[in-house]
Amino acid sequence: MYVVIVYDVAVERVNKVKKFLRRHLHWVQNSVFEGEVTLAEFERIKAGLLDLIDEDEDSVVIYKLRSMPKREVLGMEKNPLDDII
């Protein structure tokens, strides 16, 4: 499955969440990650995020898609997906 994860977390947790997600997904821009994952990896990502965030303060939105969607970028792309080997 292809996932897009968007998060809004307290400043003290931003770097931990970003570092964690970089191990699993491609960083697209501030607080946005995406990539192809297996169901098992998806469950590990969700569990890891739940360990890192404060559910009373932070927000993480996960979009699950069947395959990589067509993308259109307006303006400068911060971290092009073409960089992935």
Side-chain angles (χ1 to χ4, degrees), residues 45-55:
I45 291 169
K46 282 195 333 185
L49 287 170
L50 286 170
D51 286 343
L52 292 172
I53 69 169
D54 179 339
E55 292 182 72

Side-chain angles (χ1 to χ4, degrees), residues 31-76:
S31 303
V32 180
F33 284 80
E34 64 182 63
E36 189 77 34
V37 295
T38 64
L39 182 58
E41 187 173 20
F42 177 70
E43 294 301 328
R44 283 193 298 274
I45 291 169
K46 282 195 333 185
L49 287 170
L50 286 170
D51 286 343
L52 292 172
I53 69 169
D54 179 339
E55 292 182 72
D56 294 327
E57 271 186 58
D58 303 328
S59 173
V60 176
V61 179
I62 302 172
Y63 298 94
K64 296 190 295 185
L65 307 159
R66 291 176 193 242
S67 61
M68 183 177 177
K70 289 188 177 187
R71 299 173 83 238
E72 182 176 345
V73 178
L74 304 176
M76 183 182 83

Side-chain angles (χ1 to χ4, degrees), residues 2 25-28 33-35 68-69 71 73 77-85:
Y2 198 86
L25 299 166
H26 180 71
W27 175 75
V28 178
F33 284 80
E34 64 182 63
M68 183 177 177
R71 299 173 83 238
V73 178
E77 187 160 4
K78 290 192 172 201
N79 200 12
L81 291 177
D82 297 342
D83 291 349
I84 300 175
I85 297 176

